[in-house]
Amino acid sequence: MRIEAIAIGTELLTTRRTDTNSVWLGERLAGLGLAFHRKTCVGDDPDDLKSVFAEALTRSELIICTGGLGPTFDDVTKELWAEHLGAELTEHPQVKADIVEFFARRGRTPPSTNFKQALVPVGAEALRNAVGSAPGIWWEPASHPGRTVVMLPGVPREMKHLWESAVEPRLKARGDQAVHTLRLVVGGVPESFLDERTASLRQRHGGLEWTILSALTQVELLARGRDPEALEAARRDFAAFLGTDLVCTGPENLEDTVLALLQARRQSLAVAESMPGGLICSRLAAIPGCSRVLRGGAVAYSAAAKRLLCEVDAGLLEAEGTVSEAVTLALARGLRSRLATDWALGVTGNAGPEADPEGKGAPVGTFFVAVCGPAGECAARYAFPTDRAGVQLRSVGWALDFLRRRILGT
Amino acid sequence: MRIEAIAIGTELLTTRRTDTNSVWLGERLAGLGLAFHRKTCVGDDPDDLKSVFAEALTRSELIICTGGLGPTFDDVTKELWAEHLGAELTEHPQVKADIVEFFARRGRTPPSTNFKQALVPVGAEALRNAVGSAPGIWWEPASHPGRTVVMLPGVPREMKHLWESAVEPRLKARGDQAVHTLRLVVGGVPESFLDERTASLRQRHGGLEWTILSALTQVELLARGRDPEALEAARRDFAAFLGTDLVCTGPENLEDTVLALLQARRQSLAVAESMPGGLICSRLAAIPGCSRVLRGGAVAYSAAAKRLLCEVDAGLLEAEGTVSEAVTLALARGLRSRLATDWALGVTGNAGPEADPEGKGAPVGTFFVAVCGPAGECAARYAFPTDRAGVQLRSVGWALDFLRRRILGT
């Protein structure tokens, strides 16, 4: 099946926005043993859109459009597809009711412009959207047998929701599903080292198609194959080979794993972070039910905050500098005692671009991680000289993995 | 001038790899007052490539290809363009010498495959590459007057080098007709309401091309046009019309604006957040130099943390519940006095999926924002029932905008 992605929105051409939707969609397609043969980003200009739609229909069996389903004047994806396929747009009562209810839940009545979102091409199927006001569209136009046009909102959350709830099930129902995947999340091992270390084991499981993906906070080993037993055998072998470097398998990530480990032990956590600026806490807080483990955190950005929130001794700050092992340990220790948690994670560092004046010249990219827990305390120093966001994100991953290993008692 | 980008490489379709080259190129084009009207990602498949090249030539005056200039069998960009434009490929002595020297500097002699990179279509110009072995190509084919085909390596370092050293100078020399852009960042107004409110004013500036872009933390109005004075007039009219709803113009965002306002006043900020879980702090901490304003934050996730980090009275928590105006004000007040900052921002809420047991049944999607500052304190309640990430992200935007308005004294 020839599949293409069309990402719609002038912002994808004129701003720093990148089309992340088609990347996520590409991974979901890979899970079904499918792949894009082309991706296009196009602006809101109707003529450009019409020509992309016309071309796509000639060369692809499945066309996945994202964006242009909003309530505003420049959202014309549905309108132009309907025009191109010669179909009328009619108001869909259920979708209109969804929109009214969506606003009602916010104590608002929708502006008339929003009812534009309730219009559905005759012959197309509306995909109801539980997290936004824009429904998706699944359209197998009678005029073009063997062609399917899917329209999804550009907002990633809404796009993902509709893909998982409506599009993927329809594709699976077609029996396009063929390929199974194995996902191994690895912590504390840089991508290139993991690549080297696992080369021979991957060869032994050469019947599978392997990918290594490096996010800044974790590394993922992905295997694809048609034989579930081959994947299960690979899972067993890699689990034995990777030992505690293996964070989890399946859809979970490092932060889910840390919370799950602590919840299983009925233990609580506090996070004292300076350089990550709240990023570690926010990653944990993104997970439903985190409050069963996460008591709270201190973003001890300034030296004063380190003293006043985490009781770090002023003399220590003076002597060691704000970016140091001693201060990082003191941050974790201080917050752990204040919030009376079982565990506390502390992180300080210098993300740049300028060096922290109170950091005693710790070079940009340096960060310290400290863990205080039932079994005592320890700390580590890391150095990843890169851009500010890169340092902050890496510190999240390395800090959470350092904590994970302490919880496991390694 | 109609310009399009073609990013070539199967990895752009089948892995998490995104086409960052065209994003960088888009920014460089904007600097010249130019913009892409389309971007395509296509694999190494010759048939797909031929069809993209053919289409591009019919619709664009400037076609910028990245990738497929390497030494291996699947690098066929030059070959296919030459075939499509009916030109021979001949070995370019200077480029061949460059390749030999490039390897010599590494103490090696190039494998014969690399000399493929010295082939240049007859009638095209080779762009010498000082940082890699793949030369770029600048081609104004006689067969297609008014068309220019540029081929650059896919390796970002080499692509950027060739753009800066060879392509941009040639474009500047042409003195192409510029497109200018205006970006208006708006806070505290939902996208569809902004659309309705600004419809007539956009009509009055109908000579410009308008887009509305909604992130969960802000809404952006974008205008593009060739006449700088028309854009300046639009900027003036919208600034007057939007008043304090206008957060900023230009490349900045809401969080930059809040920090800039405080820094201009030499005032400091602390953030006490429960439901956003550190997201507000981390957004501010992502900005270089934020430490001049941001002293620190408390992620007061549990009731205990609200007491112990922000001195919220236990009786108040008991009486009002953790998700309440009174507790949100107490959070901000308590952290402000502890960290002795000029301003403190407090946010509590219920992001779901389950209601906070101590939240006194505040419905999912509810959040409170409180600001304590030199001129006193105030709070507001919001309701955006959606998924967890949506509530957390929205609370960041509405909280920072609420703070911005208080700083401005409105």
Side-chain angles (χ1 to χ4, degrees):
Chain A
M1 176 159 64
R2 285 174 65 82
I3 309 173
E4 77 176 272
I6 302 174
I8 298 159
T10 303
E11 69 276 11
L12 297 170
L13 302 175
T14 59
T15 73
R16 204 172 275 177
R17 288 268 178 112
T18 56
D19 165 31
T20 55
N21 285 337
S22 72
V23 178
W24 186 88
L25 288 168
E27 294 189 322
R28 298 303 297 247
L29 285 174
L32 300 172
L34 302 169
F36 287 121
H37 75 97
R38 184 192 287 224
K39 297 177 181 182
T40 303
C41 291
V42 61
D44 302 316
D45 177 77
D47 295 329
D48 287 339
L49 285 168
K50 281 185 220 164
S51 67
V52 181
F53 294 169
E55 297 159 17
L57 213 48
T58 65
R59 66 186 167 223
S60 300
E61 286 125 70
L62 175 61
I63 301 161
I64 302 171
C65 299
T66 54
L69 298 181
T72 65
F73 65 92
D74 56 2
D75 296 305
V76 291
T77 303
K78 260 183 321 191
E79 291 72 4
L80 292 176
W81 269 116
E83 182 186 326
H84 183 71
L85 294 168
E88 291 296 314
L89 286 165
T90 57
E91 191 168 82
H92 190 295
Q94 181 59 68
V95 171
K96 185 173 187 178
D98 289 345
I99 293 171
V100 172
E101 198 221 321
F102 180 82
F103 276 82
R105 270 186 272 124
R106 292 159 173 66
R108 291 217 180 88
T109 52
S112 55
T113 50
N114 274 88
F115 291 122
K116 172 175 181 298
Q117 298 183 292
L119 296 175
V120 175
V122 173
E125 201 180 339
L127 309 176
R128 292 174 64 187
N129 182 344
V131 302
S133 62
I137 299 288
W138 175 281
W139 198 354
E140 302 178 29
S143 57
H144 294 70
R147 297 288 194 251
T148 305
V149 177
V150 174
M151 305 176 216
L152 298 172
V155 180
R157 279 173 27 265
E158 301 183 30
M159 180 279 296
K160 292 174 184 179
H161 158 68
L162 284 173
W163 176 267
E164 287 165 346
S165 63
V167 180
E168 198 165 291
R170 282 170 174 75
L171 289 176
K172 282 181 172 166
R174 284 181 167 181
D176 292 331
Q177 178 211 27
V179 170
H180 306 273
T181 63
L182 167 67
R183 180 170 177 266
L184 303 148
V185 176
V186 179
V189 185
E191 181 183 27
S192 53
F193 289 86
L194 184 68
D195 185 5
E196 220 176 12
R197 266 180 53 194
T198 57
S200 60
L201 188 52
R202 276 181 283 133
Q203 242 159 29
R204 222 173 309 150
H205 292 276
L208 303 172
E209 184 192 322
W210 289 92
T211 318
I212 295 189
L213 290 177
S214 172
L216 289 179
T217 53
Q218 63 191 24
V219 181
E220 297 167 27
L221 260 174
L222 299 167
R224 279 201 290 274
R226 298 185 180 277
D227 174 9
E229 284 169 14
L231 284 155
E232 174 53 22
R235 194 195 58 72
R236 276 196 309 273
D237 287 0
F238 274 83
F241 178 77
L242 291 169
T244 53
D245 292 343
L246 179 62
V247 175
C248 55
T249 61
E252 277 73 34
N253 295 310
L254 175 57
E255 47 266 46
D256 307 278
T257 306
V258 169
L259 286 181
L261 285 172
L262 289 173
Q263 200 178 330
R265 290 160 174 71
R266 296 197 158 54
Q267 293 179 326
S268 58
L269 173 67
V271 180
E273 49 187 313
S274 62
M275 174 272 280
L279 205 52
I280 297 177
C281 257
S282 66
R283 283 299 186 93
L284 295 168
I287 299 165
C290 64
S291 59
R292 284 189 284 274
V293 168
L294 180 66
R295 294 288 175 270
V299 183
Y301 213 71
S302 64
K306 292 177 179 67
R307 285 199 327 273
L308 298 164
L309 292 174
C310 302
E311 288 142 3
V312 178
D313 176 69
L316 185 71
L317 284 163
E318 189 49 49
E320 301 285 333
T322 51
V323 180
S324 62
E325 176 171 320
V327 166
T328 313
L329 277 162
L331 274 176
R333 204 181 295 135
L335 191 64
R336 178 171 181 251
S337 69
R338 167 161 282 168
L339 296 186
T341 52
D342 301 295
W343 296 85
L345 176 62
V347 180
T348 66
N350 177 6
E354 320 136 350
D356 175 350
E358 291 152 326
K360 295 261 165 170
V364 170
T366 306
F367 59 89
F368 291 88
V369 176
V371 167
C372 298
E377 46 184 55
C378 54
R381 178 192 181 118
Y382 302 88
F384 290 100
T386 168
D387 64 317
R388 185 175 179 87
V391 177
Q392 289 178 318
L393 279 168
R394 277 199 178 76
S395 73
V396 173
W398 288 90
L400 287 175
D401 190 64
F402 188 77
L403 171 60
R404 181 185 66 89
R405 290 165 189 270
R406 299 293 89 63
I407 298 167
L408 294 172
T410 57
Chain B
M1 175 162 63
R2 285 173 65 83
I3 309 174
E4 76 176 274
I6 303 174
I8 297 160
T10 303
E11 71 278 8
L12 297 171
L13 301 175
T14 58
T15 72
R16 202 175 277 182
R17 207 68 83 76
T18 57
D19 165 31
T20 55
N21 283 339
S22 72
V23 178
W24 186 87
L25 288 167
E27 293 187 325
R28 298 304 298 247
L29 284 174
L32 301 172
L34 302 169
F36 287 121
H37 75 97
R38 184 193 289 224
K39 296 179 183 181
T40 304
C41 291
V42 62
D44 303 317
D45 176 78
D47 295 329
D48 286 339
L49 285 168
K50 279 186 221 165
S51 68
V52 181
F53 293 168
E55 296 158 15
L57 212 48
T58 65
R59 67 185 168 226
S60 300
E61 288 125 68
L62 175 60
I63 301 161
I64 302 172
C65 299
T66 53
L69 298 181
T72 66
F73 67 92
D74 57 0
D75 295 305
V76 291
T77 303
K78 260 184 318 191
E79 289 73 3
L80 292 176
W81 268 117
E83 181 187 328
H84 183 70
L85 293 169
E88 293 295 316
L89 286 164
T90 56
E91 191 168 83
H92 191 295
Q94 182 59 68
V95 171
K96 185 172 187 179
D98 289 346
I99 293 171
V100 172
E101 199 222 321
F102 179 82
F103 277 84
R105 266 184 272 125
R106 288 156 180 68
R108 314 222 307 278
T109 52
S112 57
T113 53
N114 275 88
F115 291 122
K116 173 174 181 295
Q117 298 183 293
L119 296 174
V120 174
V122 174
E125 200 179 341
L127 309 176
R128 292 174 63 186
N129 183 344
V131 301
S133 63
I137 300 288
W138 175 281
W139 197 355
E140 302 179 30
S143 57
H144 292 71
R147 297 288 194 252
T148 304
V149 178
V150 174
M151 305 177 214
L152 298 171
V155 180
R157 243 177 68 261
E158 301 182 32
M159 181 279 295
K160 292 174 184 178
H161 158 67
L162 283 173
W163 176 267
E164 288 166 345
S165 62
V167 179
E168 199 164 289
R170 283 169 172 77
L171 289 176
K172 280 184 173 156
R174 281 181 170 180
D176 281 311
Q177 175 53 269
V179 174
H180 304 274
T181 63
L182 167 67
R183 179 171 178 264
L184 303 148
V185 176
V186 179
V189 185
E191 180 185 24
S192 51
F193 290 81
L194 183 68
D195 182 16
E196 225 178 12
R197 266 181 53 194
T198 57
S200 61
L201 189 52
R202 286 198 313 269
Q203 246 156 30
R204 223 173 311 146
H205 292 276
L208 303 172
E209 185 192 317
W210 288 93
T211 314
I212 292 191
L213 186 53
S214 172
L216 288 179
T217 54
Q218 64 189 26
V219 180
E220 297 166 26
L221 261 173
L222 300 166
R224 301 177 62 238
R226 298 194 173 282
D227 174 8
E229 284 168 15
L231 283 155
E232 175 51 23
R235 196 196 56 71
R236 274 197 312 272
D237 287 0
F238 275 83
F241 178 76
L242 292 168
T244 53
D245 292 342
L246 179 63
V247 174
C248 55
T249 60
E252 277 73 33
N253 296 309
L254 175 57
E255 48 267 49
D256 308 278
T257 305
V258 169
L259 287 181
L261 284 172
L262 289 173
Q263 201 180 327
R265 290 161 173 71
R266 295 195 158 54
Q267 293 178 327
S268 57
L269 173 67
V271 180
E273 48 187 314
S274 61
M275 173 272 279
L279 206 51
I280 297 176
C281 257
S282 66
R283 283 299 186 92
L284 295 168
I287 299 166
C290 64
S291 58
R292 285 189 283 274
V293 167
L294 180 67
R295 293 287 175 273
V299 183
Y301 215 70
S302 65
K306 292 179 179 65
R307 286 200 326 275
L308 297 164
L309 291 174
C310 303
E311 289 143 359
V312 179
D313 175 69
L316 185 70
L317 285 163
E318 189 49 50
E320 302 285 335
T322 51
V323 180
S324 62
E325 177 171 320
V327 165
T328 313
L329 277 163
L331 274 176
R333 204 181 294 133
L335 192 64
R336 179 172 181 249
S337 68
R338 166 159 284 168
L339 296 187
T341 52
D342 302 296
W343 296 85
L345 176 62
V347 180
T348 66
N350 177 7
E354 319 136 350
D356 175 350
E358 292 152 323
K360 296 263 164 167
V364 171
T366 305
F367 59 89
F368 291 88
V369 176
V371 166
C372 298
E377 46 183 56
C378 55
R381 178 192 182 118
Y382 302 87
F384 291 100
T386 170
D387 66 316
R388 186 174 178 84
V391 177
Q392 289 179 318
L393 279 168
R394 278 200 177 77
S395 72
V396 173
W398 288 89
L400 288 174
D401 190 65
F402 188 77
L403 171 60
R404 182 185 65 88
R405 290 166 189 270
R406 300 293 88 64
I407 297 167
L408 294 172
T410 57

